[in-house]
Amino acid sequence: MDPRYNKRQADSSTYGQRSRLPHQLSHHQQSRDRSRERGSARGGNGGSGQGRHGGEGIRPPPRRIHDERYDVQTNCFKVVPANASKREGKWYEYRAFVYEARKIRKDPDGNLLASPKFVFKEEKVDGEFKSGSRKSIGILEKGASLESEQVMLALQRKLLEGNEKKWIATDGGPTVFAASQLFKETDPHDLQYYEKPPQPNSGEKEKLSRTYLVEIKKGCRFDEDFAENVPDIPRLVILEEVDDPILNWQCASGGSLWPLDDSKAQKFCQVINIVLKNSMLMSGCRSFGNKLTACLPDEIQATVMENDLFNSNAGDRTIGPRMGMLQSSRACVNKEIFVAQSAKVSHFHLDKFQDDRRRIPILDPGKQTIAGVRVNINECVPCHLRDTVKAALDKLTFHIIYDVNTENDKRRVVKPGVRMRLSTPEAPSILWASNDPDQYSFEASPYGTCTVYSYFQSRYGIKLRYENMPIVFTKYGWYPVELLFQSFAIMKGANDENQKMAILKFYDNKSGRAMSELKRYNDELRQFSQHGQELEEAFGFKLSDEPLQHEAKLLAEPKLEFGSGHSSSPRNGSWNLSGNKKLFRPADLPSFAVIDFTDKGDGHELVVGLLRRAAYHGLTNNQFEREYPQVVNELVIKANPLHHSGDMVQQINTALEIAIQRAKDFFLKDCTNFFKQRHTAFKTYVTHPTIGKTECLVYPTGNDNLGIVYPQEKLFTSHQIQLKGEIQEARMAILVKSDYSGDMFTVDPFDFVSVELNKWEARRGESSFWEQVTFVEFQWKTKDGNVVGKDALVRSVQCDYKMWQVECPAIIFVVFQNIEKEGHSLVKMFSNFMNGVQSQCLVKATHDRQRNEAMYYSNLVLKINAKLANSINMAQSWKITAYKGLKYSNLVLKINAKLANSINMAQSWKITAYKGLKQGLPWIAEAPTIILGLALTKGSGKDSKTVVVGSVALVDESGSCLKNGFSVQLQSRPDVIEPRVFKEIIKSLTIHFYASGGEFPKRVLVFRDGQSEGNFPEIRSDEIDNIPQALEDVWETVRDAVPGNQFFQSPKVSYVICLNQHNIQVVPSIASRAVNKNVPSGTCVDNVIMPFAKMGLTEDPLSFLLTAQGGLKGTSKPVFYRMLLNQNGSLTREVLESVVFGLSFQYPTATKTTRRLSLAQYCKRLSEQLISYLPYIDGRRGSLKEGFAHFPHLVVDGDETVRSDHSERNLISKELLPDFCPRLVNGEWQAPLRPHLAA
């Protein structure tokens, strides 16, 4: 063999990967490699450091080979006795009911009473009061509200009057707890004219109850400065003992309060939560958001928050951030109760200016605004601003305040807590002038026909200043906007960039000192008011002075392996793709389309840079790698920038259609003769009716049909030839001449490529070495081994395939000028949903800001490698290994992820050594184990759908699972997955697993993203209980293909909830051991504050908190993993921790660990992406006003959105993305060509 041949072995299983001699590389490639080597020697962008600090020498600790111990501090405070001498006690539980009250002045005999009394107000039926009925408010059953809080706080104040104080705890809900018994059966009723509660049915025990009269200020708190101007409203409250009213407690061995009956641990936590919330309400806090959260009083807001944040909205003084405290208790192992405290910041509509404490008017004459919308207050609001003004008013709660000034009546009128009524055809919510009789007028005796302007002047002596300003319809009638004043309320949709940055700044400033700040907040609140502290003492408990400190562990980190023998050790959950690292198993890039939405039309240059960087990492197209600029110029569609377009939906749809067609013309039809000039064919993938998915070469035939050549081992015949009058089946061959030895030899078309015009490479027979050759001619080889040349009359085999069976393009590159959230969503919708094509977006502005262009490209290559992985290329970015890169190291990673498919099996890295194993994750490879992720995202609006996404880890032979299959369904339920939907998803994912690996699972491990503990019972009944039936349904369809054909044996199920929304924080106890003020990646807490296992929530104590990510600021938050069901006895907590942490290294589009488990992260991002499609599909948004009429490929089937070619493709269920789902071919399930969508 010629010594000049490249001696480096090429991976024969990798599509299109060829080894070359150094002199075979272009000058550009050689110089680029030399510069990288110099950069790598210098340490590049900080070597293995973290982010922008890498070059400063700040390096995280080296990779951990074994688990280590680590001291942490949490935001959990132990519940301890308020009085050390009192070691036991009891609490009482009551149920509250609230009714409207009616004042009476005479007794039943008609005698005038000395003072008015109150009775229950009757309900009105058919316009008449129903005798003996009671008009219930129902405010408690709806959850805590301003009115319910005021009613129950008024009751609390009433019970504290007199010498014998009776302490109750209430959060405004129907459940009330008392520190002592409130009444006995022998106690008299307080008032003579209260009727007794309704008698129970026969056989039922009469419940002990008492009725109380309270008076509230409806719509406002009793301590508001205008409360005296708001009339008192009577309410009657019935407190009724529950069936088991007494909750006994003691001081347990750990020093914490604990119920005598372990089964009442949850009830005990409920008492603690209500007492703490009540304590804050008594201290002047206001409820907001979560029912356990209370906003701190204005008097201490500026103290607990930095002044620059407190006044961060100085440009708009009507809104501002305010801080609240979230407190929730939990029953933990060792029979201890802990309360987790955390600070929460949200933006609010303020009721007063911060500087002078004046009330904020809705109409601001100085700024010429209505609810912040700028208008000319001396003229009627113009038509083009009316929707904006109406939308702004609709977001607000306001007070109506005006001063009556007539000869006989001088008073202030206040109607607090009012909202604008919803518009109806009969009654609009807003009219645009108070003194325009054409818009609104009415008869009012004795004033005659009035406008609102004239009525206020005649009736109340108020001359309105702005007669052309709007009037608003409320539950009290029409009121001029100049009489409205803003009420304090949390802002909805506070997504302004300045607002987000203000809140992020608050958390950044507190990073590293969160626990000390919590102590300071508690001290400030106690000093401001003693009432809350007295309430806690009455119930016999207090919180410990110091937050909990205890020992956690640092989990061992896996070692990651890239291609070309490179490996890397993660540092604090991060690694890189810098230097000369190659993707462990690159995908191939057979074809692509390009759309350029940039201002100057130069965005396609980013695509060229990206493709070059991808080639450096090993992800390439060997047919034209050296000619990327020419190919991109042929393919690019230069569209108008999106911000210059009036119809983004139509613009993107049209651009995608043109780009896809241009790609088909270039690659499939060879309209530019690119392949013909090079004597080669376009190499791609095809789905053959009997062979299945395979590589192929496409030769255009001059018409709509395509000439297809398959690999020789799949199908020998490529052509029919006429030789000596006979028709024979033959296969194309190519005669070439070696540029080194000069000898001529024949090669298969799959062993011949054009590296650029008039330059070719080929390999001989089974050899893995490529050499430079010269093309001579096409030949044909018959089955008997004869080779003929030009003398044969060629008849190409015509393939009657549908276009979707031949993949082209494999991916679409779309370049935006700036970040386009809506544009990105539309690209994904039209490419993935409508056309079944992968897509990758690039942003020129983001690229131009990069100090390290390579990192930007390499990150994208990761995504593309995952997306273009398939069962042939087996693409995989790593086999578990590194993060951080040099110039051109981030967009490349994304491409490799996207180009992965079921043929190339592309992946950027793989996991190797992990806790003593030779390769892969622990436990997973012991038996066929299907790992599933589930997540859902609810859309906005009253009638919105919920997108449910399930993913399955497609584990390869190395134990890595960087590729995911998925299933998508729609439902109406917002929290728990409906049984029908759940079974369809489990069936689809199981078929994904079976079609990809050929095995039926024996074990099932499910990770369910994002639920609260309150949903656990429903998850058990609606989700977990339906797994066996779904698996059995799949078994019936595949049992004939499973060896042994045995009876169905239900796989053992382990079901884990991934709680992301919790309020537990974990920080280092010792500042010197912190990494960027955070605990290191892999910090695991599985003791002390773990849930008490006998509360019916978990079968086994397998819960743990894991901080998988390595944060750059001191704000990292762990994920709480809760095991709801574990039928796999070998899956211990230690094993589960290792599996979860190992999976965190397998999110294929980023060289760092993810906070969420990789499967759950993938599901969540994909569900959020898909939810953005629905407004366009059903016609609620964009130009698609007629919905499906503009989508010829869509139909509606019941509640589901499906593709019209669904039945033709034999998919398992009506999926949103059918091109990426399994299909039934000749009675056998086949995996999709490219199952992975890297969100």
Side-chain angles (χ1 to χ4, degrees):
M1 184 171 290
D2 195 301
R4 291 171 296 179
Y5 287 172
N6 188 349
K7 301 299 183 184
R8 184 157 54 93
Q9 179 83 19
D11 185 353
S12 59
S13 68
T14 303
Y15 169 85
Q17 298 303 306
R18 305 190 313 284
S19 300
R20 301 177 186 166
L21 291 166
H23 69 267
Q24 292 178 306
L25 298 176
S26 67
H27 172 75
H28 174 76
Q29 290 170 313
Q30 294 180 49
S31 62
R32 189 173 65 218
D33 289 349
R34 286 194 295 271
S35 67
R36 289 194 185 91
E37 291 169 3
R38 291 194 297 270
S40 180
R42 292 193 300 266
N45 192 37
S48 297
Q50 280 291 312
R52 58 180 179 274
H53 301 298
E56 300 170 7
I58 301 176
R59 296 168 64 88
R63 181 175 75 91
R64 297 182 300 276
I65 301 176
H66 306 289
D67 290 352
E68 300 175 5
R69 311 312 297 178
Y70 189 78
D71 292 327
V72 298
Q73 188 178 39
T74 69
N75 61 333
C76 296
F77 296 79
K78 185 184 289 189
V79 176
V80 298
N83 187 338
S85 61
K86 187 174 181 180
R87 310 290 292 178
E88 59 184 22
K90 59 178 65 175
W91 299 326
Y92 295 81
E93 182 181 358
Y94 299 90
R95 182 85 177 173
F97 304 89
V98 180
Y99 299 91
E100 287 192 23
R102 179 169 59 87
K103 183 184 292 187
I104 60 172
R105 300 183 181 276
K106 296 181 179 180
D107 63 18
D109 297 328
N111 302 317
L112 191 65
L113 298 172
S115 59
K117 302 292 184 182
F118 293 88
V119 296
F120 293 96
K121 189 174 182 179
E122 298 90 349
E123 284 187 317
K124 224 174 198 181
V125 179
D126 297 330
E128 296 183 359
F129 288 105
K130 183 179 179 182
S131 177
S133 65
R134 299 175 179 181
K135 189 173 182 181
S136 173
I137 302 297
I139 54 175
L140 302 181
E141 289 74 10
K142 298 176 183 177
S145 63
L146 176 61
E147 183 176 353
S148 68
E149 283 181 4
Q150 296 309 304
V151 168
M152 299 311 295
L153 288 176
L155 175 61
Q156 185 177 53
R157 292 193 297 271
K158 184 181 187 70
L159 293 173
L160 290 176
E161 294 174 353
N163 297 327
E164 187 180 353
K165 293 185 177 181
K166 296 182 180 180
W167 285 95
I168 65 169
T170 173
D171 62 354
T175 302
V176 176
F177 292 99
S180 60
Q181 190 172 14
L182 297 180
F183 45 81
K184 299 177 182 178
E185 192 170 359
T186 57
D187 292 345
H189 287 269
D190 290 343
L191 296 177
Q192 179 182 356
Y193 287 94
Y194 289 155
E195 303 100 318
K196 288 185 178 181
Q199 296 299 310
N201 297 326
S202 66
E204 294 184 4
K205 181 181 177 181
E206 182 177 353
K207 294 183 178 179
L208 185 61
S209 66
R210 287 295 181 271
T211 307
Y212 302 89
L213 171 70
V214 297
E215 292 185 321
I216 63 168
K217 307 286 186 180
K218 189 172 183 180
C220 71
R221 305 190 316 165
F222 71 93
D223 55 354
E224 293 274 10
D225 55 4
F226 55 62
E228 62 180 12
N229 302 115
V230 179
D232 293 331
I233 297 178
R235 292 286 185 257
L236 290 171
V237 182
I238 294 179
L239 290 184
E240 180 182 273
E241 270 192 357
V242 298
D243 291 333
D244 185 12
I246 301 177
L247 182 60
N248 293 290
W249 58 267
Q250 64 180 350
C251 185
S253 57
S256 174
L257 268 66
W258 189 261
L260 289 179
D261 184 352
D262 290 346
S263 65
K264 294 188 176 182
Q266 281 184 288
K267 177 68 69 175
F268 196 84
C269 289
Q270 184 185 9
V271 179
I272 301 294
N273 289 338
I274 290 179
V275 171
L276 292 175
K277 177 68 178 290
N278 195 172
S279 173
M280 297 193 72
L281 294 176
M282 294 180 71
S283 301
C285 299
R286 312 191 205 194
S287 295
F288 82 92
N290 187 296
K291 67 178 183 179
L292 301 177
T293 308
C295 183
L296 300 181
D298 281 348
E299 290 79 358
I300 63 174
Q301 283 283 351
T303 304
V304 299
M305 297 171 68
E306 281 74 6
N307 284 324
D308 56 347
L309 173 62
F310 187 64
N311 300 310
S312 61
N313 289 334
D316 184 359
R317 298 188 301 157
T318 67
I319 60 176
R322 292 296 181 265
M323 195 192 87
M325 288 281 287
L326 171 60
Q327 302 184 97
S328 63
S329 62
R330 59 185 61 250
C332 301
V333 295
N334 304 325
K335 295 188 177 182
E336 294 178 308
I337 304 290
F338 287 94
V339 172
Q341 291 186 337
S342 56
K344 300 291 181 183
V345 178
S346 296
H347 275 80
F348 287 80
H349 296 289
L350 305 180
D351 55 349
K352 295 179 181 178
F353 292 114
Q354 189 59 40
D355 48 4
D356 56 13
R357 306 301 294 167
R358 289 184 300 111
R359 291 209 164 269
I360 297 175
I362 300 296
L363 173 65
D364 190 333
K367 291 188 175 182
Q368 300 266 313
T369 59
I370 299 176
V373 181
R374 191 168 182 81
V375 297
N376 184 344
I377 63 174
N378 296 312
E379 298 178 1
C380 193
V381 176
C383 294
H384 70 277
L385 288 178
R386 292 183 177 181
D387 286 343
T388 306
V389 171
K390 183 175 180 296
L393 287 170
D394 195 46
K395 295 178 181 178
L396 298 177
T397 302
F398 41 80
H399 306 308
I400 302 171
I401 305 177
Y402 57 92
D403 293 319
V404 179
N405 187 26
T406 64
E407 182 176 350
N408 299 321
D409 190 4
K410 297 186 183 298
R411 58 189 169 91
R412 168 161 288 190
V413 176
V414 177
K415 300 181 184 297
V418 181
R419 292 187 63 87
M420 185 169 68
R421 285 285 179 91
L422 294 175
S423 291
T424 63
E426 297 78 21
S429 59
I430 186 170
L431 298 174
W432 298 101
S434 62
N435 197 25
D436 184 352
D438 292 335
Q439 291 199 43
Y440 182 65
S441 62
F442 56 96
E443 294 293 327
S445 177
Y447 313 114
T449 302
C450 298
T451 62
V452 171
Y453 178 90
S454 63
Y455 178 77
F456 268 84
Q457 186 171 13
S458 302
R459 174 70 175 83
Y460 301 118
I462 300 174
K463 184 175 182 180
L464 300 176
R465 298 175 60 189
Y466 307 103
E467 58 182 305
N468 292 319
M469 287 291 93
I471 54 176
V472 175
F473 187 51
T474 72
K475 63 181 179 180
Y476 299 112
W478 290 98
Y479 282 88
V481 72
E482 66 181 272
L483 303 184
L484 309 182
F485 294 83
Q486 192 164 289
S487 173
F488 184 85
I490 191 170
M491 288 186 66
K492 295 182 178 179
N495 294 321
D496 178 81
E497 194 64 29
N498 292 331
Q499 295 169 346
K500 290 189 289 187
M501 292 305 297
I503 293 179
L504 290 175
K505 182 179 179 182
F506 170 81
Y507 291 117
D508 290 347
N509 291 341
K510 305 295 183 186
S511 63
R513 52 189 179 94
M515 301 304 110
S516 60
E517 287 295 299
L518 283 176
K519 292 175 59 180
R520 187 167 70 89
Y521 302 154
N522 286 327
D523 292 341
E524 290 286 349
L525 197 57
R526 288 192 182 100
Q527 293 177 10
F528 178 73
S529 174
Q530 297 297 318
H531 298 307
Q533 193 171 349
E534 292 176 4
L535 175 63
E536 295 172 19
E537 291 175 354
F539 276 80
F541 74 88
K542 65 177 182 179
L543 302 185
S544 59
D545 295 330
E546 297 292 334
L548 174 67
Q549 297 191 41
H550 63 101
E551 190 177 65
K553 61 183 175 185
L554 300 180
L555 301 180
E557 296 173 300
K559 184 179 180 181
L560 310 180
E561 180 182 332
F562 285 84
S564 303
H566 290 88
S567 62
S568 180
S569 297
R571 292 179 177 271
N572 196 33
S574 295
W575 55 100
N576 63 41
L577 198 60
S578 62
N580 57 353
K581 290 188 179 72
K582 306 296 183 184
L583 301 173
F584 173 72
R585 193 181 290 141
D588 47 277
L589 180 61
S591 60
F592 54 89
V594 183
I595 304 175
D596 184 356
F597 285 113
T598 59
D599 293 343
K600 297 181 180 179
D602 55 356
H604 63 286
E605 296 176 4
L606 272 70
V607 178
V608 174
L610 170 60
L611 294 175
R612 285 173 171 165
R613 184 61 184 173
Y616 176 74
H617 288 302
L619 193 163
T620 185
N621 185 312
N622 293 320
Q623 294 178 298
F624 44 80
E625 175 186 337
R626 301 184 190 179
E627 299 178 281
Y628 277 147
Q630 177 185 344
V631 174
V632 170
N633 281 327
E634 292 284 354
L635 294 172
V636 65
I637 300 296
K638 296 187 177 181
N640 293 327
L642 291 181
H643 59 267
H644 296 158
S645 171
D647 189 350
M648 185 183 296
V649 177
Q650 191 60 42
Q651 184 184 10
I652 291 178
N653 186 24
T654 302
L656 276 166
E657 289 179 352
I658 296 174
I660 291 173
Q661 187 57 51
R662 182 171 294 186
K664 292 181 183 296
D665 290 342
F666 180 85
F667 291 105
L668 295 179
K669 297 182 180 180
D670 196 17
C671 292
T672 63
N673 292 324
F674 180 89
F675 297 99
K676 183 177 182 180
Q677 292 171 0
R678 290 156 179 77
H679 305 292
T680 58
F682 166 52
K683 191 174 185 179
T684 183
Y685 297 101
V686 66
T687 303
H688 189 276
T690 57
I691 297 175
K693 298 179 295 293
T694 183
E695 301 166 275
C696 72
L697 297 175
V698 178
Y699 288 89
T701 61
N703 52 38
D704 292 337
N705 293 326
L706 300 175
I708 304 294
V709 178
Y710 295 96
Q712 189 168 239
E713 65 275 12
K714 299 283 187 181
L715 185 65
F716 176 83
T717 302
S718 67
H719 293 74
Q720 289 181 334
I721 62 172
Q722 185 173 342
L723 185 63
K724 297 179 181 181
E726 294 183 3
I727 303 297
Q728 298 187 30
E729 292 184 347
R731 180 173 181 82
M732 174 184 285
I734 301 173
L735 180 64
V736 298
K737 178 181 179 181
S738 173
D739 290 353
Y740 304 125
S741 62
D743 61 319
M744 301 179 67
F745 57 96
T746 300
V747 296
D748 191 83
F750 282 86
D751 297 327
F752 176 78
V753 296
S754 170
V755 293
E756 57 184 297
L757 188 63
N758 296 324
K759 290 185 179 181
W760 298 270
E761 289 183 358
R763 63 181 177 184
R764 306 179 188 227
E766 300 299 323
S767 172
S768 59
F769 301 102
W770 293 80
E771 58 181 296
Q772 293 180 357
V773 298
T774 299
F775 172 82
V776 178
E777 67 173 4
F778 288 108
Q779 295 183 334
W780 284 266
K781 182 188 296 185
T782 62
K783 287 187 176 182
D784 58 9
N786 293 326
V787 177
V788 297
K790 300 177 182 178
D791 297 336
L793 180 62
V794 179
R795 297 181 177 178
S796 298
V797 174
Q798 304 299 322
C799 299
D800 185 20
Y801 288 141
K802 296 180 180 178
M803 192 59 71
W804 62 264
Q805 291 175 301
V806 180
E807 184 189 60
C808 181
I811 192 168
I812 304 172
F813 296 110
V814 180
V815 187
F816 295 117
Q817 180 67 36
N818 299 296
I819 296 175
E820 296 281 354
K821 185 175 181 181
E822 182 180 5
H824 179 274
S825 177
L826 288 169
V827 165
K828 297 298 179 183
M829 180 180 73
F830 284 115
S831 62
N832 299 341
F833 181 59
M834 296 297 301
N835 296 289
V837 180
Q838 299 278 12
S839 59
Q840 178 60 56
C841 296
L842 300 86
V843 180
K844 190 174 189 302
T846 302
H847 166 271
D848 294 344
R849 288 195 302 268
Q850 300 299 310
R851 290 184 297 175
N852 187 350
E853 183 186 47
M855 184 69 72
Y856 175 70
Y857 285 135
S858 291
N859 277 345
L860 286 183
V861 172
L862 277 180
K863 298 189 79 170
I864 297 173
N865 194 52
K867 291 187 177 184
L868 295 185
N870 59 33
S871 59
I872 297 176
N873 60 36
M874 301 292 289
Q876 180 175 338
S877 296
W878 59 81
K879 201 174 87 174
I880 279 205
T881 25
Y883 174 76
K884 250 199 152 92
L886 302 175
K887 201 154 175 83
Y888 279 83
S889 272
N890 267 7
L891 272 162
V892 179
L893 299 176
K894 296 187 179 181
I895 299 182
N896 201 46
K898 292 197 174 183
L899 291 178
N901 56 35
S902 58
I903 300 176
N904 61 36
M905 300 297 286
Q907 69 184 81
S908 300
W909 58 82
K910 70 175 181 178
I911 304 178
T912 54
Y914 190 70
K915 283 197 170 183
L917 297 177
K918 291 183 178 180
Q919 63 179 12
L921 295 171
W923 189 75
I924 302 299
E926 296 174 3
T929 303
I930 182 171
I931 311 173
L932 305 177
L934 296 168
L936 47 79
T937 297
K938 186 182 185 305
S940 59
K942 182 179 179 182
D943 300 320
S944 63
K945 295 287 186 182
T946 296
V947 170
V948 184
V949 174
S951 65
V952 55
L954 304 177
V955 183
D956 64 11
E957 78 287 346
S958 69
S960 299
C961 44
L962 285 157
K963 297 178 296 299
N964 300 319
F966 64 87
S967 176
V968 182
Q969 294 277 323
L970 295 176
Q971 66 176 36
S972 300
R973 199 170 178 179
D975 43 19
V976 177
I977 304 176
E978 297 172 3
R980 172 190 61 84
V981 171
F982 184 82
K983 285 193 284 190
E984 286 298 314
I985 286 181
I986 296 299
K987 288 160 61 177
S988 181
L989 295 178
T990 305
I991 287 181
H992 259 296
F993 179 84
Y994 174 79
S996 298
E999 289 186 294
F1000 195 81
K1002 294 183 179 179
R1003 302 189 301 200
V1004 180
L1005 176 57
V1006 182
F1007 293 98
R1008 172 71 156 84
D1009 182 71
Q1011 278 304 309
S1012 64
E1013 294 178 355
N1015 293 124
F1016 284 1
E1018 292 175 286
I1019 290 177
R1020 280 181 174 278
S1021 60
D1022 292 356
E1023 297 182 15
I1024 296 177
D1025 292 349
N1026 284 298
I1027 293 177
Q1029 183 60 55
L1031 294 174
E1032 186 173 2
D1033 291 346
V1034 176
W1035 170 262
E1036 292 300 327
T1037 67
V1038 303
R1039 61 182 304 171
D1040 293 338
V1042 177
N1045 194 24
Q1046 65 271 33
F1047 292 105
F1048 174 72
Q1049 294 181 346
S1050 182
K1052 295 181 178 180
V1053 178
S1054 297
Y1055 205 94
V1056 183
I1057 303 293
C1058 311
L1059 292 174
N1060 298 285
Q1061 301 301 321
H1062 60 86
N1063 68 324
I1064 299 179
Q1065 298 172 342
V1066 180
V1067 300
S1069 289
I1070 305 172
S1072 61
R1073 294 199 66 190
V1075 181
N1076 298 320
K1077 301 180 182 180
N1078 283 312
V1079 294
S1081 167
T1083 301
C1084 181
V1085 176
D1086 57 10
N1087 52 28
V1088 185
I1089 56 174
M1090 290 302 99
F1092 183 62
K1094 296 181 181 179
M1095 293 192 296
L1097 296 179
T1098 57
E1099 289 197 349
D1100 296 304
L1102 297 183
S1103 303
F1104 59 93
L1105 286 158
L1106 177 62
T1107 306
Q1109 74 279 19
L1112 295 179
K1113 299 177 181 179
T1115 54
S1116 291
K1117 186 177 179 182
V1119 174
F1120 204 166
Y1121 294 92
R1122 303 287 305 274
M1123 178 72 80
L1124 286 195
L1125 175 68
N1126 186 24
Q1127 297 175 341
N1128 293 288
S1130 59
L1131 186 61
T1132 63
R1133 181 163 59 191
E1134 288 70 22
V1135 171
L1136 181 61
E1137 291 168 354
S1138 299
V1139 170
V1140 170
F1141 190 46
L1143 286 172
S1144 298
F1145 286 81
Q1146 305 217 37
Y1147 192 65
T1149 64
T1151 50
K1152 58 184 177 182
T1153 51
T1154 54
R1155 176 176 177 260
R1156 277 186 173 98
L1157 185 79
S1158 58
L1159 282 168
Q1161 174 78 2
Y1162 177 71
C1163 287
K1164 190 62 179 176
R1165 292 194 63 183
L1166 188 55
S1167 66
E1168 290 172 348
Q1169 176 181 306
L1170 292 170
I1171 200 72
S1172 64
Y1173 298 175
L1174 300 185
Y1176 299 99
I1177 293 173
D1178 62 18
R1180 285 179 288 154
R1181 192 172 181 183
S1183 63
L1184 307 174
K1185 295 180 181 178
E1186 298 178 15
F1188 294 101
H1190 289 263
F1191 283 98
H1193 302 297
L1194 301 180
V1195 296
V1196 179
D1197 183 13
D1199 290 338
E1200 298 174 288
T1201 305
V1202 300
R1203 287 271 295 274
S1204 60
D1205 58 355
H1206 170 275
S1207 58
E1208 181 182 354
R1209 303 285 289 278
N1210 293 318
L1211 304 182
I1212 183 172
S1213 60
K1214 297 177 173 61
E1215 301 276 4
L1216 271 175
L1217 297 162
D1219 296 276
F1220 304 92
C1221 299
R1223 62 178 62 91
L1224 198 60
V1225 178
N1226 295 328
E1228 293 185 3
W1229 285 105
Q1230 288 191 359
L1233 177 64
R1234 305 195 187 274
H1236 191 100
L1237 280 181

